[in-house]
Amino acid sequence: MDAMQEVLIIRSSGGQAEELTDQVAVETACILKVNGETLVTLLCTPSELEAMAVGFLLSEGLLQSRQSFLSVTLDKKNTAVDIGLKDLPADWQRLFHRKTITSGCGGGITFTDTGRRQAGPEGRGTMQVPASVVPELLQKFRHVSTLFMKTGGVHSAALADLEGNILFFSEDIGRHNAVDKLIGKAFLSDLRLDDKLLVSSGRISGEIMNKIVRSRIPMLVSRAAPTCMAIAGAEDHGVTLIGFARGQRMNVYTHPGRILFNV
Amino acid sequence: MDAMQEVLIIRSSGGQAEELTDQVAVETACILKVNGETLVTLLCTPSELEAMAVGFLLSEGLLQSRQSFLSVTLDKKNTAVDIGLKDLPADWQRLFHRKTITSGCGGGITFTDTGRRQAGPEGRGTMQVPASVVPELLQKFRHVSTLFMKTGGVHSAALADLEGNILFFSEDIGRHNAVDKLIGKAFLSDLRLDDKLLVSSGRISGEIMNKIVRSRIPMLVSRAAPTCMAIAGAEDHGVTLIGFARGQRMNVYTHPGRILFNV
């Protein structure tokens, strides 16, 4: 299934109308199954569905270790992904549903649970990057985001190393899905995440930050704004959070010790 | 609770760092209860929580008529809204949970259910507006969106009449919540929606379109892109969908008969 589709539209300019074809982002419903049982349906861009499903289960905490992962299978119609897991608690479906219900669309709840506070930045790697890596990385990120340029309707996200090289790139109509796709691809490729940067085109909410925290990514960069819940989560869990990264400028909200500024 | 909060940040420009305070959008967890029982927790901007809760129940189909609405109460700590409803089916909680699980964060599913196809635009009013109303409305919309200008981190939405006058305006860190707040305010003010325009700052997904369809709003205008699922939903349910409305330009994706272009 293509991630874009042509549609016939009327473009009006100063009240003058003309008919033309335009590209729009395709949005599809993907059923996520665990051991053959339907867990949830995600509305998403129809690409990298296996990675998205694996990343979703990692982000939600249902998949906690490499040992419990058995398989991932996309059906032939590209509408359902089935993930084989072992060592699940007997009441995993009930646990998942309760979590979804009590925390909106998954996530966020960790940050109100102060008992779970983790150590500072030391807990997730002592990497440091020169401040100049961020604008260089953003420039590569923009070039790579072709789907966005065509439809204006999707979010992109990328995983990069400490030199600012993009290792994985994903796009989706949902900010959350784009991040889940990256986390899933890293898991399926055995890529460690505690020395990587994640770049997102979208705003950073508490839910996104929850995914970053769970996957032990130490640094998150966005062109857009964070919410205060995302900042609180980053502060508590030792994530370096950079927002409004545009051109040579950026705002560092938490744990600036990982950035080497000019002295 | 304020919708914004001051935080201490490091702003870097060309690698030179300086400390300053900045405004960020507050994100809060609001528990939505129906008849005293917890239904869901929404992550949102802490404003107009009663309207958001009512709008959410309308959008999700749990609140279907004015007759079944009894009361809405915000607790003193601004963390929970309880809505009194009557005539609920006995298994309403199970129905809601199943819906949430099968359709992601609510919505979208209607459009794959072709049995529910409704009539064309005639089914939701035969209003017409001159094309020039759209840019005028967008200009007012931008002026009104003060919170966005301060934090860059929230979405805004507005309800307008056929002359482009803004009747209600809402902001939220979530696109969906901003729309729910408007729908809730209209319900609580007894405002009919089948002759109004809704303007959104955000992208138009199938889920947002589902809210528009359910509330019988005939025209949706956005500065941003729609997805193909939103276009399909608008086409099927007789909604005029306008995207990329910027300055004097706009794309009309469906049911252009409601727009009076220059001839």
Side-chain angles (χ1 to χ4, degrees):
Chain A
M1 204 187 302
D2 285 335
M4 283 185 293
Q5 190 177 307
E6 282 207 339
V7 292
L8 192 68
I9 67 163
I10 292 176
R11 179 160 296 161
S12 165
S13 186
Q16 299 292 334
E18 59 167 337
E19 259 193 26
L20 49 90
T21 56
D22 199 14
Q23 303 265 14
V24 295
V26 169
E27 183 180 15
T28 193
C30 175
I31 300 164
L32 200 165
K33 297 179 183 181
V34 171
N35 299 339
E37 285 185 66
T38 294
L39 183 71
V40 70
T41 300
L42 300 170
L43 297 175
C44 58
T45 298
S47 66
E48 307 182 313
L49 298 179
E50 298 99 321
M52 179 182 72
V54 170
F56 181 84
L57 294 187
L58 287 163
S59 290
E60 295 293 316
L62 266 177
L63 171 53
Q64 298 208 349
S65 73
R66 194 156 297 281
Q67 289 73 39
S68 63
F69 176 74
L70 298 175
S71 62
V72 55
T73 318
L74 179 63
D75 75 341
K76 284 185 187 151
K77 288 191 241 157
N78 274 6
T79 53
V81 180
D82 194 354
I83 297 193
L85 296 183
K86 64 175 180 180
D87 305 329
L88 279 171
D91 55 349
W92 62 273
Q93 278 217 328
R94 197 179 57 80
L95 287 174
F96 172 78
H97 288 190
R98 196 171 54 188
K99 183 171 181 312
T100 303
I101 297 310
T102 51
S103 65
C105 312
I109 203 165
T110 311
F111 306 131
T112 58
D113 183 350
T114 47
R116 287 201 222 159
R117 267 190 186 225
Q118 292 182 4
E122 304 74 22
R124 64 185 54 226
T126 51
M127 59 179 250
Q128 286 196 307
V129 296
S132 59
V133 162
V134 175
E136 287 163 26
L137 173 56
L138 283 167
Q139 201 170 5
K140 292 177 203 161
F141 181 59
R142 226 177 17 248
H143 284 153
V144 143
S145 186
T146 53
L147 181 57
F148 178 79
M149 286 189 279
K150 282 191 198 141
T151 70
V154 300
H155 280 293
S156 17
L159 268 176
D161 65 17
L162 299 188
E163 284 80 45
N165 302 305
I166 290 181
L167 308 173
F168 287 125
F169 180 80
S170 289
E171 293 179 307
D172 202 282
I173 53 152
R175 288 178 294 138
H176 299 182
N177 296 337
V179 171
D180 280 340
K181 283 175 177 177
L182 288 180
I183 291 170
K185 282 196 278 193
F187 179 88
L188 293 171
S189 319
D190 257 329
L191 184 79
R192 62 184 286 186
L193 289 175
D194 61 359
D195 60 352
K196 301 295 182 299
L197 286 72
L198 194 142
V199 193
S200 166
S201 65
R203 289 171 309 122
I204 305 299
S205 63
E207 294 182 67
I208 296 280
M209 183 52 66
N210 207 21
K211 293 179 190 288
I212 303 302
V213 165
R214 254 192 208 274
S215 59
R216 308 199 62 76
I217 295 168
M219 197 180 299
L220 175 60
V221 178
S222 170
R223 288 194 76 249
T227 66
C228 73
M229 197 180 277
I231 296 172
E235 182 65 36
D236 285 0
H237 295 273
V239 176
T240 301
L241 172 58
I242 298 173
F244 288 106
R246 297 170 185 186
Q248 292 296 315
R249 299 180 64 139
M250 57 179 161
N251 291 348
V252 187
Y253 292 91
T254 55
H255 299 289
R258 290 204 187 85
I259 319 264
L260 298 169
F261 297 104
N262 298 346
V263 282
Chain B
M1 206 188 299
D2 284 337
M4 283 183 293
Q5 190 177 308
E6 283 206 337
V7 292
L8 193 68
I9 67 164
I10 291 176
R11 177 159 296 160
S12 165
S13 185
Q16 298 294 335
E18 58 166 336
E19 259 193 25
L20 48 90
T21 55
D22 199 13
Q23 302 266 11
V24 296
V26 169
E27 184 180 14
T28 194
C30 175
I31 300 164
L32 200 165
K33 297 179 183 182
V34 172
N35 298 340
E37 285 185 65
T38 294
L39 183 70
V40 69
T41 300
L42 300 170
L43 296 175
C44 59
T45 298
S47 66
E48 305 181 317
L49 298 178
E50 299 98 321
M52 180 183 71
V54 170
F56 181 85
L57 294 185
L58 286 162
S59 290
E60 294 292 317
L62 266 177
L63 170 53
Q64 300 209 349
S65 72
R66 194 155 298 279
Q67 289 72 42
S68 62
F69 176 75
L70 298 174
S71 61
V72 55
T73 318
L74 178 64
D75 76 340
K76 283 185 189 151
K77 288 190 242 157
N78 274 7
T79 54
V81 179
D82 193 354
I83 297 193
L85 296 183
K86 62 175 181 179
D87 306 328
L88 279 170
D91 54 350
W92 64 272
Q93 277 215 328
R94 198 181 56 81
L95 287 173
F96 172 78
H97 288 188
R98 198 171 55 193
K99 181 171 183 311
T100 303
I101 297 311
T102 49
S103 63
C105 312
I109 204 163
T110 311
F111 307 129
T112 59
D113 181 353
T114 48
R116 288 201 220 159
R117 268 191 185 226
Q118 294 181 4
E122 305 74 19
R124 57 185 61 226
T126 52
M127 58 179 252
Q128 286 196 308
V129 296
S132 59
V133 162
V134 175
E136 288 163 23
L137 173 55
L138 282 167
Q139 201 171 6
K140 291 177 204 163
F141 182 58
R142 224 175 21 248
H143 282 154
V144 143
S145 189
T146 52
L147 181 56
F148 179 80
M149 286 188 278
K150 283 191 197 139
T151 69
V154 299
H155 280 293
S156 20
L159 269 175
D161 64 19
L162 300 187
E163 286 80 46
N165 302 304
I166 291 181
L167 308 174
F168 288 125
F169 179 80
S170 289
E171 292 179 308
D172 202 282
I173 54 151
R175 289 179 294 139
H176 299 181
N177 296 338
V179 170
D180 280 341
K181 284 176 176 177
L182 288 180
I183 292 171
K185 282 196 278 192
F187 179 87
L188 293 171
S189 320
D190 256 328
L191 184 79
R192 62 184 285 185
L193 289 175
D194 61 359
D195 60 352
K196 301 294 183 302
L197 287 74
L198 194 141
V199 194
S200 167
S201 65
R203 290 171 308 122
I204 305 299
S205 63
E207 295 182 67
I208 295 280
M209 184 52 67
N210 206 21
K211 292 179 190 287
I212 303 300
V213 165
R214 254 192 207 275
S215 59
R216 307 197 63 75
I217 295 167
M219 195 180 301
L220 176 60
V221 178
S222 171
R223 289 193 76 248
T227 66
C228 74
M229 195 179 277
I231 296 172
E235 183 64 37
D236 285 0
H237 295 273
V239 176
T240 301
L241 173 58
I242 298 173
F244 288 107
R246 297 169 186 191
Q248 292 297 314
R249 300 180 64 140
M250 57 180 161
N251 291 349
V252 186
Y253 293 90
T254 55
H255 299 287
R258 290 205 187 85
I259 319 263
L260 298 169
F261 297 105
N262 298 346
V263 283

